[in-house]
Amino acid sequence: AQKITQTQPGMFVQEKEAVTLDCTYDTSDPSYGLFWYKQPSSGEMIFLIYQGSYDQQNATEGRYSLNFQKARKSANLVISASQLGDSAMYFCAMRENRDDKIIFGKGTRLHILP
Amino acid sequence: NAGVTQTPKFQVLKTGQSMTLQCAQDMNHNSMYWYRQDPGMGLRLIYYSASEGTTDKGEVPNGYNVSRLNKREFSLRLESAAPSQTSVYFCASRQGINTGELFFGEGSRLTVL
């Protein structure tokens, strides 16, 4: 069954440090995609990064990178040089290609400390 | 740029009342989704539509119905609202199979008394 797990309910990190947010998943579909979204306190959902299951390289977008370990079924988000504006809720999501169903994890609330 | 538009943004209902949340996208996307967000539960998929004319159940479909009226519009109906349906509801869309991220509406806050 399709499943996404985020085991860190909350994290506190010092400004300018790197952050790793954990995400593990489970699926029987060999073709799938993984997303990360950011939700600031204002409530909107902001797309950060995407990784396809057949992509050869880990995805990167500016300060965001996705540490994709297919055999371990993990897709951790790495934020380099964290900023105060990175304080938000972060969600991992997965899409199975066979039906376009997309489910989310419970999220991790990240607090960046000055 | 309208993107994904949800109405209403706020609604208060009494137990047993019915209502419909409307969602429209202007990006010519094939797939549309309804999620609910509750504290500590993340976003849970209610229903989705991978293409015009099709709808499928998500993780928490009980108590809801949907209609994919056309390619642009995907509505969510609560036939007999319950306090457990108090939540923030998000509509989202994406281009379709194998392509594109989800684009979200601003959310609709529903309170059932």
Side-chain angles (χ1 to χ4, degrees):
Chain A
Q2 190 180 10
K3 186 177 180 181
I4 285 276
T5 302
Q6 293 181 255
T7 58
Q8 305 153 309
M11 287 185 70
F12 290 83
V13 173
Q14 209 67 39
E15 189 181 8
K16 298 181 185 177
E17 290 184 350
V19 181
T20 298
L21 303 180
D22 295 341
C23 175
T24 58
Y25 62 90
D26 194 19
T27 179
S28 57
D29 190 342
S31 181
Y32 53 90
L34 297 151
F35 305 82
W36 277 93
Y37 280 83
K38 172 183 179 181
Q39 186 180 43
S41 57
S42 52
E44 73 267 32
M45 295 292 289
I46 301 169
F47 168 72
L48 296 178
I49 198 166
Y50 171 81
Q51 179 86 41
S53 59
Y54 291 118
D55 292 345
Q56 295 298 311
Q57 293 186 322
N58 287 348
T60 60
E61 289 287 347
R63 293 187 300 114
Y64 304 107
S65 60
L66 201 152
N67 184 3
F68 181 48
Q69 298 188 39
K70 196 170 182 177
R72 297 181 62 185
K73 294 189 175 179
S74 74
N76 298 340
L77 177 70
V78 179
I79 307 174
S80 63
S82 58
Q83 302 171 356
L84 295 178
D86 294 332
S87 293
M89 196 77 173
Y90 288 80
F91 293 101
C92 181
M94 178 175 67
R95 170 182 56 78
E96 292 183 332
N97 283 8
R98 60 187 161 203
D99 59 9
D100 219 28
K101 182 178 178 182
I102 301 177
I103 64 167
F104 283 74
K106 293 185 178 181
T108 296
R109 184 167 295 281
L110 177 63
H111 303 269
I112 305 297
L113 304 172
Chain B
N1 295 336
V4 179
T5 303
Q6 295 180 228
T7 55
K9 291 193 169 38
F10 300 94
Q11 183 74 48
V12 178
L13 291 176
K14 294 181 179 178
T15 297
Q17 288 185 320
S18 62
M19 76 157 298
T20 300
L21 294 171
Q22 307 285 356
C23 176
Q25 52 89 9
D26 62 1
M27 297 173 281
N28 200 34
H29 285 172
N30 292 306
S31 301
M32 298 186 73
Y33 304 78
W34 275 107
Y35 295 90
R36 60 176 289 175
Q37 183 176 20
D38 304 291
M41 299 300 293
L43 280 81
R44 291 182 292 172
L45 180 63
I46 305 172
Y47 272 93
Y48 66 106
S49 170
S51 62
E52 185 179 354
T54 68
T55 61
D56 287 286
K57 294 179 180 179
E59 302 167 286
V60 288
N62 290 347
Y64 304 95
N65 286 301
V66 290
S67 295
R68 183 75 182 265
L69 305 170
N70 47 56
K71 192 171 185 180
R72 290 187 65 247
E73 298 171 289
F74 188 39
S75 62
L76 179 71
R77 183 161 178 84
L78 287 70
E79 290 290 352
S80 178
S84 60
Q85 294 177 305
T86 293
S87 188
V88 178
Y89 292 84
F90 284 96
C91 179
S93 71
R94 65 188 293 271
Q95 181 62 42
I97 300 289
N98 297 331
T99 61
E101 76 268 26
L102 280 170
F103 290 81
F104 282 84
E106 294 180 337
S108 299
R109 184 173 294 276
L110 174 66
T111 301
V112 183
L113 302 175

